[in-house]
Amino acid sequence: MPEKALESKSKISASRKLMLKSLMVARAKEELEQEMMEKEEQKAKYLEEKAPTIQISSMSLEELQTLCKELHEKINVVDEERYDIEAKVLHNTREIKDLIIKVLDLRGKFKRPNLRRVRVSADAILRSLLGSKHKVSLDLRANLKSVKKEDTEKEKTVEVSDWRKNVEAMSGMEGRKKMFDAAKGPNQ
């Protein structure tokens, strides 16, 4: 695995990578400077169109006063528009905050119920997966081995019997032979 990872790495040397990075940074710097200059030019063009230069030296006092009055009126109109826009923005931000609070309140009111574990039979799962057309029964209990109750009761009675009788019967050579035969019998 590590050998494959090493082979998939680029085969460019570190000095070459550094040189390429420095060239990319220099190119980005040039493009950024050019973009800034274009923005300044656009700004100057816009100002020339919207606010041409005024020759004040050739104007009389009355002309200057009327020009000042016109400029003040334009400033007042712009200030009114700015104030109206600010008021709308403040109103909208208040509405947004109120709506956010309402949404959070609604989330808090409705509690999610605790999910309960549901027991579904294997047949029901198969019916839901395969549809009602396919009749497949998966009876797990039928496949289990059955244990007879009688066998377990016999084993219990043997264990409960008097151990002293058992010891007397198993003593001597006959008892050892019985044990040997008993151990040998079930395996055959």
Side-chain angles (χ1 to χ4, degrees):
M1 276 289 183
E3 296 171 1
K4 290 181 181 178
L6 291 174
E7 290 175 3
S8 65
K9 286 186 177 180
S10 62
K11 296 180 181 180
I12 299 175
S13 65
S15 59
R16 177 90 171 138
K17 281 185 184 179
L18 186 62
M19 184 188 71
L20 289 173
K21 282 183 183 179
S22 62
L23 287 174
M24 288 173 58
V25 168
R27 175 69 184 224
K29 186 178 178 182
E30 289 173 5
E31 288 180 1
L32 186 63
E33 288 174 356
Q34 186 178 4
E35 195 174 305
M36 295 291 282
M37 289 177 67
E38 287 176 2
K39 283 185 180 179
E40 288 293 326
E41 289 173 5
Q42 288 177 353
K43 185 178 178 181
K45 285 180 184 178
Y46 181 80
L47 287 175
E48 284 178 19
E49 290 175 6
K50 296 294 179 179
T53 56
I54 302 171
Q55 297 292 333
I56 300 174
S57 59
S58 64
M59 293 183 147
S60 66
L61 184 61
E62 291 175 13
E63 291 175 344
L64 286 174
Q65 286 178 347
T66 55
L67 180 65
C68 285
K69 286 179 183 178
E70 289 175 7
L71 289 175
H72 281 292
E73 288 174 4
K74 288 181 181 179
I75 290 171
N76 288 337
V77 170
V78 169
D79 280 342
E80 288 174 4
E81 289 177 4
R82 184 179 53 85
Y83 178 78
D84 291 342
I85 291 172
E86 284 180 0
K88 286 180 183 177
V89 168
L90 286 174
H91 180 71
N92 288 339
T93 53
R94 283 186 198 133
E95 280 187 28
I96 290 171
K97 287 180 183 178
D98 290 341
L99 291 173
I100 289 172
I101 290 171
K102 285 181 182 178
V103 167
L104 293 175
D105 286 345
L106 286 175
R107 280 188 194 166
K109 284 182 183 176
F110 301 107
K111 292 183 179 177
R112 294 184 182 139
N114 293 332
L115 298 177
R116 285 179 272 148
R117 195 173 282 251
V118 178
R119 289 191 176 198
V120 180
S121 67
D123 291 332
I125 293 173
L126 284 174
R127 263 188 262 123
S128 66
L129 291 175
L130 301 175
S132 61
K133 293 180 182 177
H134 303 284
K135 291 193 176 183
V136 178
S137 65
L138 184 65
D139 192 9
L140 297 175
R141 291 182 185 173
N143 295 336
L144 294 175
K145 291 183 179 178
S146 61
V147 177
K148 294 180 182 176
K149 240 183 183 180
E150 298 168 3
D151 293 342
T152 57
E153 290 175 5
K154 287 180 184 177
E155 289 176 10
K156 287 182 182 178
T157 56
V158 171
E159 294 173 0
V160 175
S161 65
D162 191 15
W163 61 274
R164 283 172 275 184
K165 292 178 184 176
N166 199 10
V167 169
E168 290 173 6
M170 294 296 174
S171 64
M173 287 303 281
E174 292 175 14
R176 292 183 190 240
K177 185 179 177 188
K178 286 180 189 176
M179 285 175 54
F180 182 72
D181 290 339
K184 197 176 187 183
N187 291 337
Q188 293 177 350

